[in-house]
Amino acid sequence: MSAPETDTTDAGTTTPGVAVGTTTAGTGVPAAEADADTLRERALASLTTARARTTLLTDSVDEPDLVAQHSPLMSPLVWDLAHIGNQEELWLLRAVGGREAMRPEIDTLYDAFEHPRSERPSLPLLPPAEARRYAAEVRGRVMDLLEGADFHGTRLTEAGFVFGMIAQHEQQHDETMLITHQLRKGPAVLAAPDPEPAPPFTGPAEVLVPGGPFLMGTSGEPWALDNERPAHAREVAPFWIDTTPVTNGAYQAFIEDGGYDTERWWSPRGWAHVRQHSLTAPLYWRRDGGQWLRRRFGTTEAVPAEEPVLHVCWYEADAYARWAGRRLPTEAEWEKAARFDPATGRSRRYPWGDADPGPEHANLGQRHLRPAPAGSYPAGASPLGVRQLIGDVWEWTSSDFLPYPGFRAYPYEEYSQVFFGPDHKVLRGGSFAVDPVACRGTFRNWDYPIRQQIFSGFRTARSEAV
């Protein structure tokens, strides 16, 4: 397998007023200067963290829950487990290591494009014990490969990209498996401490983001995926954006005002979806007398008013924004609010700067099993003071999922290219279920506008008054 040389810096972008800077993820040093040992340690830590989480999510349930399909929208957990191992074998052992296939007969079983999720329970999948052994054997061989890995020479191996790609892939499936845990019936099997209590947020409700150019996307983030590339100048008119995500309390006001019964707030397709599926509230909510309750990972609790609203589809977010006299931000607006530093004209890796996320910055990595109260993590605020742009909830934007100018599919078209178009809407920012390795200021997620089961919320925006 061959590939063109990779870009390692954002150098060459000369748009006036747009400054850039690139470091190797997790190292704090320029990408071009990161040595093999530093990259190897980064890859090892990322792969190990992902596998520990996979183990937690699959060992916390018994065999019937592993092989069951808890929703036609999701795969059985045991499929995800073996699929993780199969992708690791395909890309690290075969593509990079040149090794012979370990189990070639299972490749089609765990090809996500060969079999839709609804069909996977009927396939001759590896049983749980065998799936665990397979994934563990693959990982053992990958550890041997990593010891002598060459991090230069091809685009696939440059700066450890392929190891980062596989760590991100596993963490993305871990988030998918956590969604399955939320969908499963029965008592709670996962536990995590709640976020630290935060005082009620008393700052401004919205922040003005100045107009003008900024650098969107990246050409130099070593482990960035193809849809984040390349870096390019984008012009954005001045706009206002919510300082925090929309909360449960604010969303309840929309419900109580007849939001789900008032057609004018909804797009035509959104209104048809609401009527067809009898939507009346976010997924997992139900009214009990005078209060709203929700089910969260096997536990029923009162809906906390101060938390960002969760499990709303794009149509619901869009309708709320119209009801509030606002709109959803575009993807470019979201990224400018998150990355642009007006003092320097530079686009940061994250709202708080270039350093990798720490627990003081954002709610990530399944450290908690819920969003933190709106206004939390002041250390993670953008230069303009916008909070919680990373972590807590994925945020719907108004934008369709489209390629950036100069996009090139890599290393395979099925990662991004086949999803481009008006059928999918872009989400940004990551949720509490996202690991830092799969979350950054340029990271793009996408889904159908009807999806509620994902850990999705939103914030609103408005154009500056002329």
Side-chain angles (χ1 to χ4, degrees), residues 65-397:
D65 268 349
L66 277 176
V67 302
Q69 186 173 46
H70 298 281
S71 164
L73 298 172
M74 311 303 292
S75 307
L77 292 169
V78 73
W79 185 92
D80 287 289
L81 175 59
H83 170 76
I84 286 167
N86 186 244
Q87 288 293 294
E88 190 166 321
E89 184 197 349
L90 287 170
W91 287 101
L92 297 185
L93 296 184
R94 299 190 209 174
V96 174
R99 310 282 179 86
E100 292 294 325
M102 294 169 56
R103 300 284 300 269
E105 75 280 4
I106 70 172
D107 287 353
T108 58
L109 295 177
Y110 297 103
D111 184 333
F113 288 89
E114 188 76 20
H115 303 284
R117 289 174 176 175
S118 60
E119 293 180 2
R120 292 172 191 171
S122 64
L123 300 174
L125 303 177
L126 299 182
E130 192 172 352
R132 288 190 178 98
R133 283 195 300 271
Y134 169 64
E137 185 176 354
V138 171
R139 176 54 58 87
R141 298 184 186 189
V142 165
M143 291 297 99
D144 292 339
L145 178 71
L146 182 59
E147 287 185 8
D150 180 4
F151 296 105
H152 303 286
T154 71
R155 184 176 178 185
L156 197 61
T157 58
E158 185 73 32
F161 168 79
V162 70
F163 293 97
M165 181 185 78
I166 289 300
Q168 290 176 82
H169 173 266
E170 182 162 356
Q171 287 285 4
Q172 288 168 332
H173 275 272
D174 288 341
E175 182 177 10
T176 298
M177 288 194 286
L178 189 63
I179 292 170
T180 302
H181 271 268
Q182 170 65 2
L183 284 161
R184 67 176 284 276
K185 302 297 191 292
V189 295
L190 298 175
D194 286 342
E196 289 292 324
F201 180 68
T202 57
E206 60 180 356
V207 170
L208 178 63
V209 180
F214 82 105
L215 194 72
M216 186 171 183
T218 181
S219 296
E221 183 74 28
W223 289 2
L225 303 171
D226 61 1
N227 63 67
E228 301 171 65
R229 300 173 181 269
H232 60 286
R234 188 70 68 94
E235 186 86 18
V236 173
F239 68 99
W240 294 85
I241 192 167
D242 290 340
T243 309
T244 71
V246 171
T247 64
N248 289 320
Y251 198 84
Q252 285 178 40
F254 167 66
I255 297 173
E256 301 304 334
D257 195 43
Y260 282 85
D261 299 314
T262 308
E263 184 176 359
R264 72 177 181 273
W265 306 134
W266 300 81
S267 67
R269 289 186 178 181
W271 183 245
H273 180 68
V274 166
R275 297 295 95 189
Q276 180 181 355
H277 297 279
S278 302
L279 299 187
T280 59
L283 188 61
Y284 308 117
W285 284 30
R286 65 178 176 86
R287 196 191 295 272
D288 181 28
Q291 68 173 340
W292 284 98
L293 303 178
R294 72 177 182 188
R295 180 169 58 83
R296 183 179 61 85
F297 298 109
T299 299
T300 298
E301 61 189 15
V303 172
E306 71 280 4
E307 282 186 12
V309 68
L310 189 64
H311 296 302
V312 290
C313 70
W314 185 89
Y315 292 131
E316 291 170 297
D318 179 61
Y320 173 95
R322 295 185 191 188
W323 170 82
R326 299 170 68 81
R327 57 177 174 81
L328 295 178
T330 67
E331 183 183 12
E333 288 174 336
W334 188 98
E335 188 168 324
K336 185 166 189 180
R339 298 184 63 210
F340 182 68
D341 183 353
T344 63
R346 179 175 175 272
S347 289
R348 300 171 164 193
R349 291 180 67 215
Y350 296 97
W352 54 85
D354 293 336
D356 283 351
E360 73 278 14
H361 295 132
N363 180 8
L364 293 166
Q366 201 180 312
R367 189 171 71 248
H368 311 296
L369 288 171
R370 65 194 309 152
S376 297
Y377 304 107
S382 74
L384 295 169
V386 187
R387 298 197 183 188
Q388 292 169 286
L389 285 157
I390 300 291
D392 286 305
V393 295
W394 285 107
E395 298 185 14
W396 289 109
T397 72

Side-chain angles (χ1 to χ4, degrees), residues 24-36:
T24 293
T27 67
V29 299
E33 298 176 14
D35 61 31

